[in-house]
């Protein structure tokens, strides 16, 4: 399908350089969709400069399913970055799963960051799976049983990692946050409100609102809405069922930043 181009420069004055970012989440690779997965990635070199995958790369996190994705991307001559999703953790063997992907050239970000240079543009990518927690009216509390408080703490660790990552990439011409879980309820519209607590948390939005990256991508909400925002920061739910296509290509202009990293 032809790519749709979305201006994600967030109102800043761009330089003449631009990078095309192909994004998708919830691709759920397994042996049954091997051919479709390979066909989707085979088209990317002609229309993208960078690929970002927003989690749920597989159905259950089995290494055999990781091989389906690995085989699809092995000959794709583009930088590819990904975060894991809840499906990728299901069998609780993330190290084995990630090893297969990294052997094929995919960089998996786990509360970490990368700064690739694409078309002469330094891009700061801050990646984390994110976690549950809810939104106004449905927040999980930091109270009660240790297991409940651990859920709260787990989301807090992602919040801290996003904050630290955005501070570290403050100098980059383009800054992107890549998540699986949603940081805003705006992109959950269409999902039953009774399950929003399990689809993300507005606690993830705090460092995004503070540092104002150029683009935020997530998946997970298959019946959600494509577009939202955190303040002036555009947020996109790139779940394949939402986009109704294999990838969405965002054309993002590189800014001439002189900002030093914030410490």
């Amino acid at each position: 399908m032809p790519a749709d181009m979305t201006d994600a420069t967030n109102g800043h004055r761009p330089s003449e350089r631009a990078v095309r970012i192909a994004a998708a989440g919830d691709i759920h690779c397994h042996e049954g969709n091997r051919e479709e997965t390979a066909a989707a990635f085979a088209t990317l070199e002609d229309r993208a400069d960078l690929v970002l995958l927003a989690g749920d790369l597989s159905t259950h996190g089995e290494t055999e399913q990781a091989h389906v994705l690995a085989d699809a991307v092995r000959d794709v001559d583009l930088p590819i970055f990904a975060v894991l999703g809840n499906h990728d953790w299901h069998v609780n063997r993330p190290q084995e799963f990630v090893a297969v992907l990294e052997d094929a050239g995919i960089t998996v970000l786990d509360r970490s960051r990368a700064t690739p240079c694409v078309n002469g543009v330094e891009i700061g990518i801050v990646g984390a799976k994110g976690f549950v927690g809810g939104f106004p009216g449905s927040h999980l509390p930091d109270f009660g049983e240790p297991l409940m408080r651990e859920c709260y703490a787990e989301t807090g660790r992602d919040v801290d990692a996003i904050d630290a990552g955005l501070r570290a990439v403050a100098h980059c011409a383009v800054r992107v946050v890549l998540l699986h879980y949603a940081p805003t309820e705006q992109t959950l519209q269409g999902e039953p409100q009774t399950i929003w607590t399990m689809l993300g948390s507005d606690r993830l939005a705090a460092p995004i609102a503070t540092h104002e990256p150029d683009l935020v991508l997530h998946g997970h909400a298959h019946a959600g809405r494509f577009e939202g925002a955190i303040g002036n920061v555009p947020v996109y739910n790139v779940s394949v069922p939402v986009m109704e296509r294999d990838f969405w290509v965002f054309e993002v202009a590189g800014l001439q930043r002189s900002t030093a990293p914030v410490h």
Side-chain angles (χ1 to χ4, degrees), residues 7-20 117-123 171-174 214 251-258:
D7 182 3
T9 58
N10 199 25
H12 298 288
R13 176 181 295 177
S15 71
E16 294 181 356
R17 298 172 300 171
V19 60
R20 298 168 299 168
C117 189
V118 179
N119 289 351
V121 178
E122 187 176 19
I123 303 172
H171 64 286
C172 290
V174 173
D214 301 289
E251 186 170 302
V252 186
L255 309 181
Q256 298 288 358
R257 295 186 192 275
S258 58

Side-chain angles (χ1 to χ4, degrees), residues 53-153:
L53 303 177
D56 278 5
L57 313 176
S58 65
T59 57
H60 294 90
E62 301 279 3
T63 54
E64 295 83 358
Q65 296 166 356
H67 278 291
V68 172
L69 178 55
D71 291 344
V73 307
R74 203 176 302 276
D75 295 327
V76 177
D77 188 22
L78 294 173
I80 303 175
F81 296 86
V83 296
L84 299 186
N86 55 308
H87 280 248
D88 306 318
W89 272 86
H90 180 72
V91 298
N92 201 24
R93 295 198 296 270
Q95 291 181 332
E96 297 175 20
F97 187 86
V98 169
V100 174
L101 301 183
E102 291 187 338
D103 182 66
I106 298 173
T107 300
V108 179
L109 300 175
D110 181 15
R111 297 176 181 161
S112 56
R113 59 189 181 271
T115 55
C117 189
V118 179
N119 289 351
V121 178
E122 187 176 19
I123 303 172
I125 306 167
V126 176
K129 175 173 62 66
F131 201 46
V132 300
F135 301 88
S138 66
H139 285 127
L140 289 178
D142 185 19
F143 182 83
E145 298 95 323
L147 282 176
M148 181 66 75
R149 297 193 69 191
E150 178 56 23
C151 282
Y152 187 92

Side-chain angles (χ1 to χ4, degrees), residues 21 23 52-54 81-83 109 112-114 123-130 158-159 161-167 169 174-183 204-219 230 233-238 250:
I21 300 174
L52 299 181
L53 303 177
F81 296 86
V83 296
L109 300 175
S112 56
R113 59 189 181 271
I123 303 172
I125 306 167
V126 176
K129 175 173 62 66
D158 282 305
V159 172
I162 295 167
D163 181 67
L166 285 172
R167 288 175 183 271
V169 304
V174 173
R175 298 163 301 144
V176 181
V177 175
L178 179 63
L179 302 167
H180 181 61
Y181 285 83
L204 300 167
I208 293 167
T210 297
H211 298 286
E212 296 189 321
D214 301 289
L215 182 64
V216 177
L217 304 171
H218 75 86
I230 296 171
V233 179
V235 179
Y236 295 95
N237 175 3
V238 293
F250 299 86

Side-chain angles (χ1 to χ4, degrees), residues 179-252:
L179 302 167
H180 181 61
Y181 285 83
T184 172
E185 69 270 30
Q186 292 181 21
T187 49
L188 300 184
Q189 300 291 336
E191 292 279 8
Q193 196 165 352
T194 51
I195 67 169
W196 284 10
T197 302
M198 306 307 296
L199 297 179
S201 171
D202 62 351
R203 293 174 62 202
L204 300 167
I208 293 167
T210 297
H211 298 286
E212 296 189 321
D214 301 289
L215 182 64
V216 177
L217 304 171
H218 75 86
H220 193 41
H222 293 202
R225 194 174 76 175
F226 176 60
E227 188 172 2
I230 296 171
N232 293 321
V233 179
V235 179
Y236 295 95
N237 175 3
V238 293
S239 176
V240 166
V242 171
M243 300 189 300
E244 298 184 335
R245 64 193 65 199
D246 295 325
F247 290 93
W248 199 282
V249 179
F250 299 86
E251 186 170 302
V252 186

